[in-house]
Amino acid sequence: MSALICAFSRAYHSKENEVKIFDDTIAELLLSKDEYNEIVENMSNGIKFFNPNFVGNKDEALRWIVDNQLAPSPLGRAAYAEKMLKNAVCSSKVKQYLIFAAGYDSFAYRQPEWSKELEIFEIDHPVTASDKMERLKRAQIEIPCNLNYVAADFTQEKWIESLTKNERFDSTKISFCSLLGLSYYLSKADFENMIKIIGEIIPKGSPLVFEYPDDETYAKKAAERTKKQVILANGAKEKMLAGYSYDEMEKLLCRCGFSIYEHLTPDQITKQYFEEYNKANPDHYMSAFDNVNYCLAVRE
């Protein structure tokens, strides 16, 4: 459910705005018309849950919910990850892009020219991967020749073997790793173990990008929209499990053989990635999600 909402948010943002935080031209194609319209209806009807004092029509309600609640996280983290990927590809020897828990990520199907030489691996649960394949087939989206699907159940002890046994994966090549939308739903032990395992199969100099909630996200003083997000996740049976301080995350990464190269707080994310959009849309201001930080780490 979270993956569907993220895809809807990216699609809606791309359709409704000329100046965009992140332009996903594929996201809408991954949703059926019925799914898209059902999300529109459910969200606009739920405005009182998100904003009890809202006054306006259903279209305005939907816009408010998307801009304030649904879109900031999927737009911001995608924009950040792809900018960091481009920087890594254009300035270093990155040859592989590993997308862990790929969900409905659409990068492989709208590849810019600078990424054509990348070997891309979408690593996800077999059920999710199969569902995505059906959606791509229905939308008549061509599968690029440099894309590899890797079915891996992250709850299984030896899930990484699904990747390492893939004949097109090369553990000696510098790899850019993406773990977007994962840290919330894993225990601290499981998240650390995942990063540790990844660190064991990629060479030194490989970047790792992810976002994580700080250790105040689930505290009583958390912002109201953060509390709403937790309620939504719980309702979808996707309970959020962990938050981290900067020091805690730095030590976790160090234990796994990584060091932090860049770290952005919500205010920094808003300024760097949302400012152009906000200038063009002063009536629909958007800010990075509360207490969620972006991190680029490098394998030492």
Side-chain angles (χ1 to χ4, degrees):
M1 181 57 67
S2 293
L4 283 173
I5 296 299
C6 286
F8 167 80
S9 300
R10 299 195 307 268
Y12 180 92
H13 182 77
S14 292
K15 287 177 61 178
E16 299 297 326
N17 298 284
E18 291 186 11
V19 177
K20 305 170 179 65
I21 295 168
F22 180 74
D23 189 11
D24 191 334
T25 57
I26 298 294
E28 186 179 9
L29 302 177
L30 296 176
L31 302 173
S32 69
K33 289 184 178 179
D34 286 344
E35 284 174 327
Y36 190 94
N37 292 334
E38 184 177 356
I39 293 172
V40 167
E41 189 70 14
N42 289 341
M43 289 299 165
S44 57
N45 287 339
I47 184 61
K48 293 303 180 182
F49 166 74
F50 295 104
N51 184 354
N53 300 317
F54 179 83
V55 177
N57 61 39
K58 292 185 71 171
D59 289 341
E60 292 167 337
L62 178 64
R63 176 77 190 227
W64 190 95
I65 292 169
V66 172
D67 288 353
N68 287 275
Q69 193 74 45
L70 304 183
S73 285
L75 294 177
R77 69 192 183 200
Y80 179 70
E82 292 193 16
K83 180 181 178 181
M84 295 301 101
L85 174 64
K86 181 180 180 180
N87 290 346
V89 170
C90 296
S91 63
S92 68
K93 299 178 180 179
V94 168
K95 299 299 181 184
Q96 296 179 144
Y97 183 25
L98 313 182
I99 309 173
F100 293 91
Y104 301 128
D105 185 279
S106 65
F107 176 81
Y109 317 98
R110 48 177 176 78
Q111 295 179 48
E113 193 60 37
W114 53 262
S115 67
K116 299 298 184 183
E117 300 301 317
L118 276 177
E119 200 70 40
I120 303 172
F121 297 84
E122 289 193 357
I123 307 138
D124 213 338
H125 192 281
V127 174
T128 307
S130 176
D131 176 70
K132 187 174 187 177
M133 290 294 290
E134 287 297 318
R135 292 173 183 275
L136 292 165
K137 182 178 179 180
R138 183 185 66 208
Q140 298 183 326
I141 296 174
E142 183 179 352
I143 308 301
C145 61
N146 62 335
L147 174 61
N148 307 275
Y149 292 102
V150 178
D153 185 345
F154 298 121
T155 65
Q156 299 300 310
E157 184 178 353
K158 297 183 178 181
W159 64 265
I160 197 65
E161 291 182 0
S162 299
L163 174 61
T164 57
K165 290 182 178 180
N166 187 292
E167 61 182 14
R168 294 171 70 177
F169 174 73
D170 188 341
S171 62
T172 67
K173 290 183 177 180
I174 302 294
S175 301
F176 189 99
C177 305
S178 166
L179 283 79
L180 301 182
L182 265 175
S183 66
Y184 313 92
Y185 307 109
L186 297 176
S187 68
K188 292 183 177 182
D190 287 342
F191 185 60
E192 179 170 350
N193 187 55
M194 186 174 192
I195 293 180
K196 180 178 181 293
I197 290 172
I198 292 171
E200 291 172 349
I201 57 101
I202 57 175
K204 293 180 180 180
S206 294
L208 173 72
V209 67
F210 62 96
E211 91 277 30
Y212 72 92
D214 68 33
D215 57 356
E216 294 181 358
T217 301
Y218 309 112
K220 293 181 180 180
K221 293 183 179 180
E224 192 61 31
R225 65 173 176 169
T226 299
K227 295 177 182 177
K228 302 291 188 187
Q229 202 75 1
V230 172
I231 293 172
L232 288 175
N234 290 344
K237 297 181 180 180
E238 297 173 352
K239 187 176 181 180
M240 296 184 178
L241 298 175
Y244 304 82
S245 68
Y246 176 87
D247 288 343
E248 188 177 12
M249 182 57 69
E250 185 178 41
K251 291 175 181 176
L252 182 156
L253 290 168
C254 183
R255 289 194 296 269
C256 297
F258 289 87
S259 62
I260 294 177
Y261 182 83
E262 181 175 80
H263 184 274
L264 298 181
T265 64
D267 287 344
Q268 292 170 323
I269 296 164
T270 299
K271 182 173 180 57
Q272 293 186 34
Y273 290 90
F274 290 50
E275 189 171 45
E276 184 177 353
Y277 163 84
N278 285 332
K279 286 181 178 178
N281 298 275
D283 295 331
H284 301 288
Y285 183 86
M286 201 182 301
S287 62
F289 220 78
D290 317 286
N291 306 101
V292 175
N293 311 281
Y294 296 174
C295 186
L296 179 68
V298 177
R299 180 74 171 88
E300 292 293 345

